[in-house]
């Protein structure tokens, strides 16, 4: 089983889950060409992908869908409200558009969708269940609600947003209206909030965590990892033995390969 964060950040997002005989993309916010190149780099291709799941309609999560659907005929699952508000909906063949409920099965993988707090029509995170393992995705959320905590509890692998450092954001060049949006409960999760969410989360004995959707303007990879690590250590979490933190990037793949 393999998890590959192909791209993560404000310029585009795409995740790839390889469950052996079932292969799933989560979001397609970069070009089809970039996705194909990234997949070729890990030994697979778009022709092998079974489906695309979309978390919400913002451009950095859907801009690659028109080409992916027209050229490869890939089925896309997302909420009805997301379809209605997607800027590129008319460019996607209707035969590729599927409405996403709270659960579905694709191949040998059970999938659950859960609501998250973000300024989109009906944004969701995902849980994937495969061979008694749980893989979760929770990005683009301004606040970790109790329902999200319950949804991502006891994940074996978790892709969690760690978007910004609050001080960098406040001192940065963004207009105040955008800063306020990012820091709101329907914006993006800060490094500190990500650290506290992980510290308070019911866990299995070992969790692999990808820190995702890092802002290029208001964050740094080393700062995100240090902030989250410090909070976890202060709360008595043994890093590496209990939680392993992995960074993601906008322009290269971050991977985890499991021998199940």
């Amino acid at each position: 089983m393999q998890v590959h964060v192909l791209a993560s950040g404000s310029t585009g997002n795409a995740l790839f889950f390889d469950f052996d005989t079932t292969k799933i993309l989560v979001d397609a916010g970069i070009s089809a060409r970039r996705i194909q190149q990234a997949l070729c780099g890990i030994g697979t291709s778009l022709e092998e992908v079974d489906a695309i799941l979309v978390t919400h309609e913002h451009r950095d999560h859907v801009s690659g869908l028109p080409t992916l659907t027209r050229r490869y005929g890939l089925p896309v699952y997302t909420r009805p409200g997301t379809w209605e508000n997607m800027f590129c909906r008319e460019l996607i063949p209707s035969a590729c558009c599927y409405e996403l409920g709270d659960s579905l099965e694709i191949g040998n993988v059970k999938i659950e969708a859960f609501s998250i707090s973000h300024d989109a029509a009906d944004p969701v995170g995902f849980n994937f269940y495969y061979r008694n393992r749980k893989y979760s995705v929770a990005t683009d959320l301004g606040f970790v609600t109790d329902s999200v905590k319950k949804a991502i509890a006891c994940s074996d692998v978790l892709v969690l947003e760690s978007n910004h450092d609050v001080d960098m954001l406040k001192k940065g060049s963004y207009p105040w209206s955008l800063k306020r949006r990012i820091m709101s409960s329907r914006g993006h999760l800060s490094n500190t909030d990500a650290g506290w969410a992980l510290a308070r989360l019911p866990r299995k004995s070992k969790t692999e965590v990808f820190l995702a959707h890092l802002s290029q303007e208001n964050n740094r990879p080393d700062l995100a990892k240090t902030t989250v690590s410090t909070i976890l250590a202060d709360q008595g979490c043994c890093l590496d033995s209990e939680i392993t933190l992995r960074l993601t990037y906008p322009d290269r793949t971050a991977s985890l390969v499991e021998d199940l």
Side-chain angles (χ1 to χ4, degrees):
M1 194 279 155
Q2 302 179 27
V3 180
H4 302 277
V5 182
L6 306 181
S8 183
S10 57
T11 57
N13 298 272
L15 288 72
F16 177 65
F17 290 83
D18 186 345
F19 300 102
D20 299 325
T21 58
T22 301
K23 304 182 192 306
I24 298 171
L25 275 172
V26 175
D27 291 334
I30 57 177
S31 70
R33 180 180 180 182
R34 279 189 61 192
I35 292 175
Q36 182 72 296
Q37 289 175 338
L39 293 180
C40 288
I42 58 175
T44 187
S45 68
L46 280 166
E47 287 81 2
E48 298 182 59
V49 173
D50 294 287
I52 304 173
L53 305 181
V54 174
T55 58
H56 65 291
E57 71 273 13
H58 291 167
R59 287 175 180 263
D60 58 325
H61 294 260
V62 302
S63 62
L65 289 180
T67 301
L68 290 171
T69 51
R70 293 198 309 266
R71 184 173 297 171
Y72 300 96
L74 296 175
V76 181
Y77 295 82
T78 195
R79 297 289 207 205
T82 302
W83 281 124
E84 292 171 8
N85 288 275
M86 193 179 297
F87 82 96
C88 56
R89 170 61 186 87
E90 294 183 356
L91 301 176
I92 300 172
S94 295
C96 296
C97 300
Y98 292 81
E99 291 190 358
L100 174 70
D102 291 333
S103 64
L104 73 155
E105 292 187 9
I106 299 176
N108 52 359
V109 182
K110 179 182 177 182
I111 304 164
E112 293 177 348
F114 55 89
S115 295
I116 59 174
S117 178
H118 192 52
D119 56 355
D122 191 1
V124 296
F126 292 107
N127 287 325
F128 301 91
Y129 297 91
Y130 175 70
R131 293 189 180 178
N132 297 315
R133 301 271 286 172
K134 179 180 178 181
Y135 305 82
S136 301
V137 177
T139 63
D140 291 73
L141 66 168
F143 179 66
V144 180
T145 62
D146 288 341
S147 61
V148 170
K149 290 178 186 176
K150 183 178 180 181
I152 63 176
C154 300
S155 300
D156 294 283
V157 179
L158 171 61
V159 182
L160 180 68
E161 181 170 52
S162 188
N163 176 257
H164 60 277
D165 174 79
V166 174
D167 288 337
M168 284 186 68
L169 176 61
K170 288 181 177 179
K171 297 174 183 177
S173 61
Y174 283 7
W176 177 246
S177 59
L178 180 54
K179 293 178 182 181
R180 185 168 53 203
R181 173 199 168 241
I182 292 170
M183 291 187 290
S184 76
S185 62
R186 300 184 71 232
H188 291 279
L189 208 64
S190 70
N191 297 335
T192 300
D193 288 339
W196 280 109
L198 287 172
R200 294 166 175 164
L201 198 65
R203 302 187 295 272
K204 291 187 176 180
S205 57
K206 178 66 180 294
T207 306
E208 299 278 351
V209 178
F210 287 90
L211 299 179
H213 214 300
L214 274 67
S215 169
Q216 291 171 270
E217 178 83 14
N218 304 301
N219 209 352
R220 299 192 314 271
D222 63 310
L223 182 57
K225 190 170 185 179
T226 297
T227 301
V228 174
S229 297
T230 299
I231 292 171
L232 290 173
D234 288 346
Q235 296 303 304
C237 174
C238 296
L239 293 169
D240 295 328
S241 61
E242 292 183 49
I243 292 181
T244 298
L245 298 177
R246 298 171 179 267
L247 293 168
T248 63
Y249 305 90
D251 56 353
R252 65 181 188 270
T253 300
S255 301
L256 170 65
V257 179
E258 295 186 316
D259 185 13
L260 301 182

